[in-house]
Amino acid sequence: MGSLDSNPATFDAFAADAEGFQPLNADDVRSYLHKSVDFIYDYYKSVESMPVLPSVEPGYLSRLLQSAPPSAAAPFDIAMKEIRDAVVPGMTHWASPNFFAFFPATNSAAAIAGELIASAMNTVGFTWQANPAATEMEVLALDWLAQLLRLPKSFMMNRTTAGARGTGGGVILGTTSEAMLVTLVAARDAALRRMGSNGVAGINRLTVYAADQTHSTFFKACRLAGFDPSNIRSIPTGADTDYGLDPTRLLEVMQADVDAGLVPTYICATVGTTSSNAVDPVGAVADVAALFSAWVHVDAAYAGSACICPEFRHHLDGVERVDSISMSPHKWLMTCLDCTCLWVRDAHRLTDSLETNPEYLKNDVTDSGAVTDLKDMQVGVGRRFRGLKLWMVMRTYGATKLQEHIRSDVAMAKMFEESVRADDRFEVVVPRNFALVCFRIRPHDGMTEEAAEAVNRELMERLNRTGKAYLAHTVIGGKFVLRFAVGSSLQEERHVRSAWDLITKKTTEIMSREM
């Protein structure tokens, strides 16, 4: 990072301004941002050569940086030098093309620019009046993405083909957890109203459902929304459905709850589970839910991005019959954290539960009903200008480039999968969906599952210690499995091939020891 190598100015040169403290002095803004942009440029140029996982110990940073807050001002260059010397060596580099763990956290030049501009404007668009452009940019960006996903018009931001207001709507939140929480609250309140319950008196009768492969944040959100933990159903899945939710089993569990005097309230269907990228059958789940008037939410946080490609859109078939859907462009659609898009078929069901209307936020535009204030579709009131970076990504790259990005990642994952299948020391544990390959060293010589876990865990740890690749694991059907997730924004085919070469080398070392 050559731009940061120059010696910082001395403290004596950092004289107090005669006019007093000016944190937004235009010249300082320009200077600081230029240096920050140089840092970012150098970071992206060099991140490939950095160890993906840092070799630091807990508490390392407090030993490198002063423990007490400074009382005196310091040159900006001092802070930048400390970032380079202390922070960067402790980073797990999600931007590295050698990062294959979890799911990707994608980024792009357009997203970074949009985030920078939004941060500089620092708007708080809780109502339309508080910032018309921020609200309408979010509406526009969500409409655009809904069209790329071919979502039904009923989800599209209070619009119909005639330009009149409809019932649907959307909002950009920070995470999938928030999308689950707000829809759970809306479903909870709707179910209580149907029961004629006074307040939340009947909440202990409400039940919610998801496959056992559903992200753990769902079960956390259920507890936050007040559902009785004993009424949260985690439905077992298996290899017979490729670990997707079985609608027949779902129907049986829901009917049993009704027979026991309980009220089925909410089902979370996932398109692209975290462990294995399993896909729950959206249409079939919606059909079962309709029998009980239960809310259906589709969590497409990761794989929803792939559905902008026609060849993957079938995974959302039946979405016109669900109540809400969310996906996170910060995972696979080149839009930096944080950006989770939530669409609902009836925005009023959300705002009825989440609306706040203090006197100091009342205004004529809101009172007219011409707009939906986005504060009323989220937990808090304050909100960032997230719509700008999402719009910037779609406006800059267009559908064609975004589809090219998805298809390239899928092709690299398919190439990796073929390499795994061609080496009889390994096995692909579940069919590949999208750009995730779940594999392991195949049990051999009468190896127990416990021994298979040990050898695969050792492989993962050896790989990660090299700093040349980073993989994570999961457990599927009782098997310890390595996850190889393609999708880092800087990844190319050569990085995938190098990772495979490293995997085979370390596997050979392990097996040579066993002989």
Side-chain angles (χ1 to χ4, degrees), residues 149 151-152 155 175-181 183-184 209-210 214-215 218 245 266-273 278-287 289 294-305 307 313-328 340-345 434:
L149 293 168
L151 294 184
F155 285 94
T175 65
T176 299
S177 309
E178 294 175 65
M180 289 176 174
L181 178 59
T183 52
L184 278 162
Y209 308 83
T214 302
H215 198 284
F218 168 72
L245 181 61
Y266 184 104
I267 306 167
C268 181
T270 305
V271 175
T273 60
V279 176
D280 295 337
V282 172
V285 169
D287 290 342
W295 183 296
V296 180
H297 175 71
V298 175
D299 168 17
Y302 162 74
S305 294
C307 295
R313 175 55 178 76
H314 66 278
H315 291 298
L316 294 181
D317 286 355
V319 71
E320 68 279 359
R321 302 196 298 282
V322 310
D323 298 278
S324 56
I325 177 173
S326 63
M327 57 90 72
S328 299
T340 290
C341 300
L342 169 67
W343 294 271
V344 290
R345 190 151 45 90
F434 312 107

Side-chain angles (χ1 to χ4, degrees), residues 475-496:
V475 174
I476 303 173
K479 300 175 182 178
F480 182 94
V481 176
L482 277 66
R483 298 172 68 264
F484 190 89
V486 177
S488 171
S489 302
L490 294 173
Q491 246 159 36
E492 299 173 7
E493 185 176 314
R494 62 187 176 89
H495 300 110
V496 175

Side-chain angles (χ1 to χ4, degrees), residues 113-128:
E115 183 83 329
L116 172 62
I117 293 168
S119 295
M121 291 179 172
N122 201 34
T123 186
V124 187
F126 34 66
T127 64
W128 182 92

Side-chain angles (χ1 to χ4, degrees), residues 1 4 39 43 46-47 49-65 79-94 467:
M1 301 186 185
L4 298 178
F39 173 90
Y43 177 75
S46 60
V47 69
S49 63
M50 299 179 188
V52 189
L53 277 176
S55 56
V56 296
E57 299 294 332
Y60 91 97
L61 194 62
S62 62
R63 293 191 290 270
L64 294 177
L65 301 180
M80 292 302 296
K81 185 177 188 305
E82 291 179 345
I83 289 174
R84 192 193 73 178
D85 293 346
V87 175
V88 172
M91 293 288 292
T92 296
H93 297 292
W94 287 64

